[in-house]
């Protein structure tokens, strides 16, 4: 699904150049549930933004679902984002003057789906998130967990192949975080590839693969069984 | 364009920011209101002034005698002289390009005395001696009968054409004045026609209070000899009445032994000149109105563009979210432009309606005041102007939207998302 080779990215501010990603090699298969970890400033968000075609990279090679993602028109990028990718953000990023239903339906508006039809579909997705009753509430009337579930519904409505989530539980309490993770797991169970950025070990432990960034390169790439072992270690550490 | 969702989007964003929407719209509303009100007033002024001139031929001039201001050939300055029938002939013979020449003379009347009598009724009216040509140069409406004709002139007939006011004062409403007699300065004249002025104000009152007699009859009956009071002259097509004016005045100076340099001895008035001045004046006023109006409108449009820029800044994050979930730059640009066009057109339309309404109101007031409105008549804005104004608004709306829209899509999606 995702294939990255020798990916480099620098930020240039004024005369300073900050080399953030220094040659990332990464392959993620369809249906994986992956978390990216690393200390603050290690380039996790940078990597995720590049994967989401929200930002461009300097060097290397990125293929998404067989498509080479290189310099392309913003129109084409928008189409890729709309069809292949669903985003979930730490700060939810709901549009404040649209209610939950309208927020969820918005990606379908850009696909020119009729109003009636997309509202119907949006309602379905909200229902799956247990938010049917909240469909006509504005974002500021919802709790953090509810907002994030609306955001997940919005990410799912366009039937993406990949969900990219940048610290989706970062603004939530533990209880709500686990609820959100349960939902993501369920989504992953339907075959959608999920990448989350997190710095919380317990959250990372709920995924099937952990990638650790350090100094702009992948320092660790731990899978499946090993994750379970880590989970136990984390549990032991917590006690 | 007529996609309901697009409009829903626009109403949502406009509704969400009522104050901002209102003040933005106010700028354009005011701009177009001013433009329409100004154009309407300009038109009213033009109509008012040109109706004051009636249908007077624009290629006409008037010439009369004044006192000389220079001594010449042994004559002292301050001498008074008269035009005469010989002058008429001399002008016809010597000046090319004359279309009509109408010598005129004012009949004798003692100031303040009632000079016209019919049975019990009496009145004081202006008596004019005229040629048929006069009604071609400065035409009046013939309500009944006819104007002076060539036979009247040749046979020095005692016939009269009376103005509307004269009829009203000397006859009962049910009486037919044609064929009746009036005693004018002691002489009986038979009425052959009734006329009314096409002008308004003082000139109309004067026209309607006059009695028109054959020129030759006046000369003979009231002992004027061959004296001519003054001339109305028009130029043939292709000839300048100003040239004819110059030639005629020179000829008169020569014939009456006046110093060629004595420009004030022969008085004249040239409608062509006057008309040109007026035309230039109105062109100037119209130009000024457009400049001021467009300027005001432009200020409104720049206001909209500015506000849209602020809106874009405020909405950077929102635009970032939209783009993250798949809105193409085209969608965003067209959304912003539609919003801007909608706002300008909507506000402009109300400005247009209010402007036309204000003009109609003024129009009604003027109609109620009747003739006293004078210089101002029937202010209006043509459909053509209204439609052009609307088209200008729509174009302005597009332009006002383009700059902010381009700015909006120039921001990279990731930067827009990071924006707080
Ligand atoms: N737009 C930017 N311009 C300049 N530097 C940036 C920008 N975004 C991030 N950085 C820098 O790049 C580094 C990596 O940032 P980021 O990918 O956000 O890290 P993380 O998400 O792992 O905390 C940080 O040092 C950050 O300051
Ligand atoms: Mg980050």
């Amino acid at each position: 699904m995702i294939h990255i080779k020798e990916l480099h990215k620098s930020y240039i501010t004024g005369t300073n150049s900050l080399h953030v990603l220094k040659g990332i090699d990464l392959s993620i298969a369809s249906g994986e549930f992956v978390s990216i970890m690393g200390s603050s400033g290690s380039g996790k968000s940078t990597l995720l933004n590049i994967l989401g075609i929200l930002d461009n990279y300097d060097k290397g090679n990125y293929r998404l679902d067989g498509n080479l993602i290189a310099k392309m028109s913003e129109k084409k990028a928008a189409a890729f984002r709309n069809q292949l990718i669903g985003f979930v953000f730490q700060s939810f990023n709901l549009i404040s003057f649209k209610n939950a239903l309208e927020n969820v339906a918005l990606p379908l508006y850009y696909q020119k789906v009729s109003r009636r039809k997309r509202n119907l579909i949006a309602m379905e997705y909200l229902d799956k998130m247990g938010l049917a009753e909240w469909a006509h509430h504005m974002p500021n009337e919802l709790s953090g967990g509810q907002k994030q579930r609306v955001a997940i519904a919005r990410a799912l409505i366009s039937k993406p192949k990949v969900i990219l989530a940048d610290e989706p539980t970062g603004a939530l309490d533990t209880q709500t975080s686990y609820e959100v993770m349960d939902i993501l797991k369920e989504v992953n169970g339907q075959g959608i590839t999920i990448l989350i950025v997190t710095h919380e070990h317990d959250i990372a432990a709920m995924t099937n693969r952990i990638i650790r960034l350090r100094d702009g390169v992948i320092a660790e790439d731990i899978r499946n069984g090993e994750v379970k072992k880590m989970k136990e270690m984390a549990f032991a550490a917590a006690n | 364009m007529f996609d309901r969702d697009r409009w829903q989007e626009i109403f949502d964003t406009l509704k969400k920011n009522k104050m901002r929407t209102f003040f933005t719209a106010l700028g354009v509303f005011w701009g177009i209101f001013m433009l329409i009100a100004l154009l309407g007033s300009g038109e009213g002024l033009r109509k008012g002034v040109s109706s004051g001139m009636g249908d007077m031929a624009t290629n006409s001039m008037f010439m009369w005698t004044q006192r000389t201001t220079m001594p010449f050939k042994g004559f002292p300055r301050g001498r008074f002289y008269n035009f005469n029938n010989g002058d008429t002939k001399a002008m016809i013979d010597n000046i090319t390009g004359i279309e009509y020449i109408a010598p005129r003379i004012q009949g004798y009347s003692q100031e303040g005395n009632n000079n016209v009598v019919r049975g019990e009724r009496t009145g004081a009216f202006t008596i004019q001696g005229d040629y048929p040509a006069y009604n071609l140069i400065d035409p009046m409406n013939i309500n009944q009968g006819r104007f002076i004709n060539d036979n009247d002139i040749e046979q020095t007939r005692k016939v009269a054409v009376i103005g509307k006011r004269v009829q009203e004062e000397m006859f009962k409403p049910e009486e037919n004045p044609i064929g009746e007699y009036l005693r004018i300065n002691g002489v009986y004249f038979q009425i052959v026609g009734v006329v009314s002025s096409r002008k308004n104000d003082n000139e109309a009152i004067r026209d309607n209070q006059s009695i028109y007699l054959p020129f030759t009859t006046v000369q003979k009956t009231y002992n004027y000899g061959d004296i001519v009071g003054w001339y109305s002259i028009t130029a043939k097509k292709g000839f300048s009445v100003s040239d004819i004016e110059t030639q005629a005045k020179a000829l008169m100076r020569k014939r009456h032994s006046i110093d060629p340099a004595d420009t004030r001895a022969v008085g004249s008035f040239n409608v062509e000149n006057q008309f040109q001045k007026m035309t230039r004046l109105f062109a100037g006023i119209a130009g000024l109105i457009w400049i001021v109006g467009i300027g005001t409108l432009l200020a409104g449009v720049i206001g909209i563009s500015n506000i849209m820029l602020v809106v874009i800044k405020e909405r950077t994050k929102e635009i970032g979210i939209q783009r993250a979930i798949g809105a193409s730059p085209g969608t965003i640009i067209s959304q912003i432009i539609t919003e801007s066009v909608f706002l300008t057109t909507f506000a402009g339309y109300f400005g247009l309606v209010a402007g036309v309404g204000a003009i109609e109101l003024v129009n009604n007031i003027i109609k109620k005041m009747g003739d006293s409105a004078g210089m101002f008549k029937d202010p209006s804005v043509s459909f053509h102007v209204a439609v052009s104004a609307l088209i200008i608004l729509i174009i302005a709306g597009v332009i006002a939207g383009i700059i902010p829209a381009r700015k909006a899509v120039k921001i990279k999606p990731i930067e827009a998302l990071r924006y707080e």
Side-chain angles (χ1 to χ4, degrees):
Chain A
M1 177 59 53
I2 291 171
H3 296 281
I4 289 177
K5 269 203 199 101
E6 269 299 302
L7 190 88
H8 286 262
K9 170 80 181 174
S10 301
Y11 288 115
I12 295 156
T13 42
T15 52
N16 294 337
S17 169
L18 183 66
H19 202 176
V20 179
L21 301 180
K22 305 170 180 167
I24 305 273
D25 287 293
L26 179 63
S27 275
I28 294 171
S30 187
E32 278 196 86
F33 192 3
V34 182
S35 53
I36 301 170
M37 296 194 72
S39 56
S40 180
S42 59
K44 307 182 292 292
S45 296
T46 303
L47 178 60
L48 204 74
N49 291 335
I50 290 172
L51 294 178
I53 330 178
L54 289 172
D55 208 349
N56 48 3
Y57 54 90
D58 301 331
K59 236 167 72 185
N61 185 307
Y62 169 31
R63 283 179 178 279
L64 174 63
D65 197 29
N67 306 290
L68 177 69
I69 307 297
K71 250 193 151 40
M72 63 173 84
S73 74
E74 184 47 40
K75 189 177 173 195
K76 210 169 159 200
F80 273 128
R81 284 198 291 268
N82 190 254
Q83 284 151 27
L84 295 177
I85 305 164
F87 288 98
V88 177
F89 302 95
Q90 176 176 5
S91 53
F92 322 122
N93 282 345
L94 298 178
I95 290 173
S96 60
F97 58 91
K98 291 183 183 296
N99 66 28
L101 186 77
E102 289 163 342
N103 262 289
V104 174
L106 202 54
L108 295 185
Y109 169 58
Y110 300 124
Q111 290 180 6
K112 313 232 179 295
V113 176
S114 79
R115 184 180 192 80
R116 168 190 285 272
K117 196 169 167 199
R118 64 175 197 262
N119 281 351
L120 225 64
I121 300 171
M123 200 62 200
E124 219 174 276
Y125 277 84
L126 274 178
D127 197 24
K128 273 186 208 163
M129 297 292 146
L131 286 174
E133 286 160 49
W134 298 86
H136 298 286
H137 286 250
M138 303 307 272
N140 60 7
E141 298 163 348
L142 303 174
S143 72
Q146 287 171 326
K147 280 188 216 174
Q148 199 58 300
R149 279 184 284 162
V150 171
I152 293 170
R154 184 179 66 185
L156 290 173
I157 197 165
S158 54
K159 293 195 166 63
K161 297 200 166 157
V162 183
I163 296 273
L164 300 174
D166 196 347
E167 310 212 20
T169 61
L172 305 176
D173 60 51
T174 314
Q175 175 65 29
T176 328
S177 297
Y178 288 173
E179 281 168 25
V180 166
M181 284 309 288
D182 283 344
I183 291 169
L184 288 179
K185 244 188 226 169
E186 206 182 304
V187 169
N188 176 244
Q190 291 153 19
I192 296 175
T193 313
I194 300 185
L195 250 89
I196 65 170
V197 164
T198 183
H199 55 257
E200 293 162 271
H201 289 280
D202 52 346
I203 298 296
M206 293 178 200
T207 65
N208 302 330
R209 180 178 171 189
I210 298 175
I211 290 161
R212 191 179 299 279
L213 288 188
R214 189 180 299 139
D215 295 330
V217 291
I218 294 177
E220 266 183 307
D221 188 347
I222 317 163
R223 286 171 186 270
N224 243 333
E226 297 151 85
V227 173
K228 286 219 180 67
K229 209 168 78 195
M230 285 236 345
K231 205 172 177 177
E232 282 157 20
M233 276 167 63
F235 184 77
N239 285 284
Chain B
M1 191 69 187
F2 297 102
D3 169 9
R4 193 183 141 199
D5 289 313
R6 170 100 62 93
W7 291 107
Q8 193 69 42
E9 284 282 305
I10 288 164
F11 288 137
D12 279 352
T13 42
L14 291 181
K15 254 196 305 198
K16 192 190 153 225
N17 303 288
K18 289 198 185 73
M19 276 302 257
R20 194 180 66 200
T21 305
F22 175 76
F23 282 110
T24 311
L26 196 65
V28 169
F29 172 88
W30 187 243
I32 196 85
F33 177 82
M34 288 299 287
L35 180 66
I36 295 297
L38 284 172
L39 284 173
S41 322
E43 182 68 8
L45 195 63
R46 197 185 63 73
K47 277 190 196 148
V49 172
S50 49
S51 84
M53 292 176 52
D55 288 336
M56 197 187 288
T58 58
N59 60 341
S60 61
M61 62 159 279
F62 305 90
M63 186 169 69
W64 59 90
T65 59
Q66 299 181 159
R67 281 175 193 280
T68 60
T69 60
M70 294 175 186
F72 193 60
K73 287 189 181 167
F75 291 110
R77 65 192 288 269
R79 172 173 62 101
F80 204 82
Y81 67 100
N82 283 309
F83 293 145
N84 53 47
N85 292 347
D87 292 334
T88 311
K89 191 172 180 322
M91 282 193 278
I92 294 171
D93 290 346
N94 293 308
I95 300 171
T96 48
I98 290 178
E99 182 186 31
Y100 301 121
I101 180 162
R104 302 192 81 192
I105 191 161
Q106 189 150 349
Y108 164 81
S109 73
Q110 275 176 303
E111 275 303 317
N113 273 11
N114 289 338
N115 55 353
V116 179
V117 180
R118 176 177 177 255
E120 299 284 277
R121 293 174 184 245
T122 58
F125 301 109
T126 310
I127 311 300
Q128 303 278 11
D130 267 315
Y131 270 84
Y134 183 69
N135 205 42
L136 300 170
I137 295 173
D138 189 5
M140 293 175 284
N141 293 322
I142 311 257
N143 295 359
Q144 261 184 290
R146 60 173 179 83
F147 197 67
I148 312 282
N149 67 21
D150 290 335
N151 287 338
D152 299 337
I153 297 288
E154 273 165 37
Q155 297 164 22
T156 58
R157 283 179 178 166
K158 293 204 175 65
V159 294
V161 174
I162 60 174
K164 196 175 79 181
R165 278 290 293 156
V166 180
Q167 178 191 8
E168 283 163 10
E169 291 198 12
M170 304 305 289
F171 292 89
K172 290 185 194 143
E174 67 273 15
E175 283 179 311
N176 182 358
I178 303 292
E180 296 294 315
Y181 286 87
L182 288 180
R183 205 177 81 205
I184 302 166
N185 291 332
V187 180
Y188 281 94
F189 284 81
Q190 190 178 26
I191 296 171
V192 294
V194 180
V195 294
S196 61
S197 180
R198 292 183 192 175
K199 300 170 195 161
N200 58 25
D201 304 335
N202 295 334
E203 294 205 37
I205 293 168
R206 198 200 57 210
D207 286 355
N208 290 335
Q209 298 211 70
S210 292
I211 297 176
Y212 305 88
L213 306 177
F215 180 83
T216 48
T217 314
V218 172
Q219 273 188 336
K220 197 172 124 190
T221 311
Y222 301 116
N223 296 319
Y224 280 110
D226 69 348
I227 289 175
V228 171
W230 71 100
Y231 287 99
S232 287
I233 299 171
T234 58
K236 275 186 198 157
K237 234 191 153 106
F239 288 87
S240 156
V241 79
S242 303
D243 286 352
I244 291 173
E245 182 185 19
T246 315
Q247 291 178 54
K249 286 170 83 171
L251 186 62
M252 291 304 108
R253 281 194 289 268
K254 208 169 115 196
R255 286 178 56 84
H256 294 279
S257 305
I258 298 164
D259 190 324
D262 189 353
T263 49
R264 277 193 277 167
V266 187
S268 70
F269 172 82
N270 174 344
V271 180
E272 182 183 59
N273 260 345
Q274 213 61 19
F275 196 78
Q276 274 174 1
K277 267 187 214 156
M278 210 97 86
T279 308
R280 274 198 297 273
L281 179 69
F282 283 121
I285 291 175
L288 202 67
I289 285 171
W290 276 103
I291 291 169
V292 170
I294 298 271
T296 319
L297 197 60
L298 200 68
V301 168
I302 292 172
I304 288 210
S305 192
N306 256 328
I307 297 248
M308 294 296 289
L309 273 177
V310 174
V311 171
I312 298 310
K313 221 171 155 64
E314 272 178 21
R315 279 165 53 182
T316 300
K317 178 94 175 194
E318 175 197 326
I319 290 168
I321 298 168
Q322 289 178 329
R323 289 174 71 180
I325 60 181
S328 67
T331 309
I332 290 185
I333 287 178
S334 76
Q335 191 169 313
I336 290 167
I337 288 178
T338 318
E339 197 174 313
S340 159
V341 168
F342 173 76
L343 209 56
T344 35
T345 311
F346 187 76
Y349 178 74
F350 277 99
L352 196 69
V353 170
V356 171
I359 286 170
E360 283 301 310
L361 198 72
V362 171
N363 212 343
N364 272 339
I365 293 168
I366 286 174
K367 284 214 176 103
K368 284 210 186 93
M369 296 196 322
D371 277 348
S372 56
M375 293 284 276
F376 217 68
K377 189 189 174 196
D378 197 17
S380 64
V381 170
S382 68
F383 182 70
H384 179 75
V385 167
V387 168
S388 328
L390 262 186
I391 291 172
I392 290 174
L393 276 176
I394 293 172
I395 295 170
V398 171
I399 294 167
I402 281 177
I403 300 166
R406 287 180 56 103
K407 192 141 187 153
V409 296
K410 245 197 215 140
I411 309 172
K412 279 203 287 181
I414 185 61
E415 278 157 15
L417 272 175
R418 265 197 220 109
Y419 192 88
E420 288 302 337

